[in-house]
Amino acid sequence: KPQQTFYNIIKNEKEEIFYMATLQYFIKMTRKEFDKTYGNFNTLQNFINRISVHRANKDKAFQEFFQTLSQMMVNDTVLIPESISLISKYPYFYQMDTALKCLISLPKNEMNFLISHIINEIPIPQKNTQIQFYLPRTVNVLKLYNEKNISENISNLNYGSLFDFFSIDNIILLFHLLILEQKVLLIDNNYKLLSEMSLILINLLYP
């Protein structure tokens, strides 16, 4: 399964806005590694098979769920779904995406050092300035902009992709509805696509 990153905008109880990037990925484990971390592999597989047969004719969604789990257990290996998130007061989506991919490429004993570096040692740029930095195992420089120049950072989103999924008439209609503060529901199985399209539409309101 490929990695995919999706984005979200959240609020706390004080109505403060935060930006979150979540990377979903899979790690491969042998049976021995699985037994050590999560419990007995055979016991779980037998449980899945029994429950799947019992519920197969009653709940299609349940059946599909357990079929997916069963397919994950092939050739004495298990694919374990994992996710990791970063939250910021600023919409550094591209930078957070890059940092997350860098994190999962590191050995576990090095991940905490990078997290500490990102949180404690990379400052927020001063007014009308930017900070450039590198992350381990990356070759491209990353930039952080001050809040006053945040529109430059937002441009990391691919606005052109909006035209790949919506006609011009529908884009105009969506923009019209958003200006009128109407509710818009986007539906797709791809969370990454949904989050990107949602953020692009929101950012169109704030040129």
Side-chain angles (χ1 to χ4, degrees):
K1 298 267 184 171
Q3 301 173 2
Q4 66 172 3
T5 307
F6 60 93
Y7 312 107
N8 196 12
I9 300 176
I10 56 179
K11 288 184 179 181
N12 62 11
E13 63 277 2
K14 297 180 181 180
E15 294 296 311
E16 296 173 317
I17 295 177
F18 294 88
Y19 303 89
M20 180 171 68
T22 300
L23 174 65
Q24 292 183 333
Y25 61 102
F26 288 81
I27 58 174
K28 182 181 289 187
M29 284 187 170
T30 64
R31 287 189 180 229
K32 288 184 178 180
E33 291 171 335
F34 182 90
D35 290 348
K36 183 178 180 180
T37 307
Y38 296 102
N40 187 272
F41 182 98
N42 290 325
T43 301
L44 176 60
Q45 191 170 39
N46 291 334
F47 170 76
I48 289 173
N49 291 335
R50 289 199 306 271
I51 297 298
S52 181
V53 171
H54 178 70
R55 293 284 297 273
N57 297 324
K58 298 180 181 180
D59 191 331
K60 183 178 179 182
F62 191 89
Q63 179 187 18
E64 292 176 351
F65 171 73
F66 277 106
Q67 283 177 346
T68 301
L69 286 180
S70 298
Q71 292 168 2
M72 289 165 55
M73 299 179 178
V74 294
N75 300 324
D76 290 338
T77 62
V78 187
L79 293 177
I80 305 297
E82 297 277 347
S83 63
I84 184 171
S85 299
L86 284 175
I87 300 176
S88 172
K89 288 184 177 181
Y90 306 96
Y92 297 136
F93 297 118
Y94 172 75
Q95 293 84 346
M96 289 193 287
D97 181 28
T98 304
L100 289 171
K101 291 175 179 175
C102 176
L103 276 170
I104 66 171
S105 72
L106 298 174
K108 286 189 176 181
N109 61 336
E110 296 181 17
M111 292 178 68
N112 288 336
F113 292 105
L114 180 56
I115 292 173
S116 176
H117 172 64
I118 293 172
I119 295 175
N120 300 315
E121 298 175 359
I122 301 179
I124 298 298
Q126 299 298 314
K127 184 177 180 181
N128 297 323
T129 63
Q130 67 178 26
I131 288 178
Q132 299 184 3
F133 64 98
Y134 288 92
L135 292 175
R137 303 186 183 185
T138 61
V139 295
N140 295 323
V141 63
L142 294 178
K143 299 178 182 180
L144 294 182
Y145 299 91
N146 181 263
E147 188 176 10
K148 299 297 182 180
N149 308 99
I150 209 68
S151 60
E152 298 178 52
N153 183 62
I154 290 292
S155 65
N156 286 313
L157 294 170
N158 182 13
Y159 288 81
S161 62
L162 195 66
F163 296 90
D164 295 332
F165 300 99
F166 297 101
S167 67
I168 294 178
D169 288 342
N170 283 333
I171 292 174
I172 294 173
L173 175 61
L174 285 169
F175 189 65
H176 177 73
L177 292 172
L178 292 172
I179 289 176
L180 296 177
E181 299 185 354
Q182 299 297 305
K183 293 181 179 179
V184 175
L185 176 64
L186 302 178
I187 301 175
D188 197 276
N189 292 326
N190 188 328
Y191 294 142
K192 176 179 174 61
L193 177 62
L194 278 177
S195 61
E196 287 183 352
M197 292 299 104
S198 299
L199 287 172
I200 287 172
L201 289 171
I202 291 172
N203 290 325
L204 285 177
L205 298 175
Y206 306 97

